[in-house]
Amino acid sequence: MHTHVLSCDVTITETSPVTQEPGAAAPAGQSWTPRLWGVLAVLCAVLFLDGLDVSMVGVALPSIGTELGLSTTSLQWIVNGYVLGYGGLLLLGGRTADLLGRRNVFLAALGVFAVASLVGGLVDNGTLLIVTRFVKGLAAAFTAPTALSILTTTFHEGPARNRALSIFSVFGASGYSSGLILGGLLTSFGWRWTFLTPVPLAVLALVAGIALIPRDKRADEGGHDLVGAVTLTAGMLLAVYTVVSAPERGWLDPVTLGSIVLAVALLVAFVITENKVRHPLIRLGILRVGSIVRANISIIALFGSFLSFQFMMTLYLQDVLHWSPLKMAMALLPIGLLVAFASPFVGKLITRYGTSRLIVSSMVSLSLGYVWFLSTAGDSPKYLVSVLPTMLLLGGGFAFGFSSIMAQATDGIEDAEQGLASGLVQTSGQVGAALVLAVVTALVASDGQGSGDFGQFHPGVNLVTGIAVLGLAFNVLPLLGRRRQPKHA
């Protein structure tokens, strides 16, 4: 599952979820006119569309691989191409919106998203399909932070903005849930429909956005860290490519060694750039804050294990168990439903118990989910015994962990760096997920490109279980340390 955390240079005050229903009286201080509702509808539609697109394509992966003759290694790039495009330029996306105008950037990126979707549904070449996914990821890197920036500058701070954010935040998970069912239905007619269906929806959102979103001014000062964006994205892409290709080519092969050296050099160049430019993508000093470091590691454990497990599940249920796309989508649906319905209540739990305890609970739930699946799944698992409990544990773990990690990442951070902190943790999640998925894919593909049974996926599930357990240990140790500290007056 892919979920956007939107980043921009704005201040967002975290509050308990707003319980006011849409259509009720407008909160005090700002009248909710039809145009204001229209702006919110456009922004929510784009977030919904992203969740819809990601889950539909996930369901279609086995069908895509069969028709285009793609191996497991190539299929993972359909996921990772999007993830890396999004994660690599997310931080730049928010800054670009400030410099060029939020409305202009949002509408242009939405147009690119629509075109890339159309091309992806028409191509007959796996490489071109992967390129369209990367382009869509790039577009999302600009629509995501810009959408939140438009929302927070359109709705007044206080009850009106909190209400809008509450409505807005539900649409990503709802899109994911809907995409599972719709993806299963569309894939039954042909995987291309999972790419083509978002096109008219994106065009409608684009037309409505042109009519409804107010114009805004560009920033008077500041600049792009283009070198930082290029070196970071190129370094991440090369690192993932090296991990994916090394098992087949050999870790000591000259091409592999050269790729490793070049990837490291690009990432080192990124660090050097961030220390020298006037407007860096990432102010590296922010990494001295312990809560931010813990949040970034936690999101890697959450996204890395979850996305990789979902990738394996789509192949396992369809290729090994020969489930139909719709049956597989229904099997995964409890995850999306739990995230959609539980997320609005997490804010109250954070207020009562704090982020650290909820993150620990999340990692426990994820770890138990993977362990349960390892111990009960096989070549002919029973849904109620193996799959459903796993989905419930993973859905609960994601719902509690995602919001809690984001709250921890921004807790105590100065207003001017709230956007940087939230963007940084999202980037870590996407990049970490891409690297974990690359390793998992290498493990799965190394088993004869498909042994036709659960054993093919066993090493990959072992890995994601270990990552979740490490995430749990990393969050438990600070809590134990606090309890052991002597109490002084």
Side-chain angles (χ1 to χ4, degrees), residues 309 364-378 381-394 454 458 461 465:
F309 184 79
V364 168
S365 188
L366 289 173
S367 300
L368 288 176
Y370 301 136
V371 170
W372 182 265
F373 189 76
L374 272 173
S375 61
T376 60
K382 296 184 181 299
Y383 179 77
L384 293 178
V385 174
S386 178
V387 180
L388 180 59
T390 300
M391 298 302 104
L392 294 176
L393 286 167
L394 298 187
F454 179 65
H458 210 280
V461 181
T465 304

Side-chain angles (χ1 to χ4, degrees), residues 4 6 42-52 168-172:
H4 279 327
L6 308 173
V42 170
L43 301 179
C44 289
V46 172
L47 187 64
F48 178 87
L49 184 62
D50 178 66
L52 186 78
F168 182 70
S169 63
V170 175
F171 273 78

Side-chain angles (χ1 to χ4, degrees), residues 26 30-44 103 107 150-151 153-155 164 205-216:
Q30 185 173 19
S31 174
W32 282 52
T33 63
R35 178 166 184 170
L36 206 60
W37 275 110
V39 172
L40 181 59
V42 170
L43 301 179
C44 289
R103 181 179 185 272
L107 295 176
I150 292 173
L151 186 150
T153 54
T154 301
F155 293 86
L206 180 61
V207 173
I210 293 173
L212 296 172
I213 297 176
R215 298 183 182 275
D216 56 302

Side-chain angles (χ1 to χ4, degrees), residues 14-34:
E14 187 179 342
T15 62
S16 299
V18 179
T19 57
Q20 194 169 4
E21 295 294 329
Q30 185 173 19
S31 174
W32 282 52
T33 63

Side-chain angles (χ1 to χ4, degrees), residues 87-109:
L89 291 183
L90 174 66
L91 292 169
L92 184 65
R95 185 57 183 156
T96 301
D98 290 337
L99 295 174
L100 302 182
R102 291 177 290 274
R103 181 179 185 272
N104 293 337
V105 171
F106 178 79
L107 295 176

Side-chain angles (χ1 to χ4, degrees), residues 123-181:
V123 298
D124 287 314
N125 180 277
T127 301
L128 290 178
L129 184 62
I130 292 169
V131 170
T132 65
R133 294 294 294 166
F134 181 70
V135 172
K136 289 179 78 170
L138 295 180
F142 289 89
T143 58
T146 309
L148 183 58
S149 184
I150 292 173
L151 186 150
T152 54
T153 54
T154 301
F155 293 86
H156 298 169
E157 184 176 2
R161 183 182 297 176
N162 291 337
R163 181 190 184 193
L165 285 170
S166 179
I167 297 171
F168 182 70
S169 63
V170 175
F171 273 78
S174 300
Y176 176 80
S177 302
S178 303
L180 287 174
I181 301 300

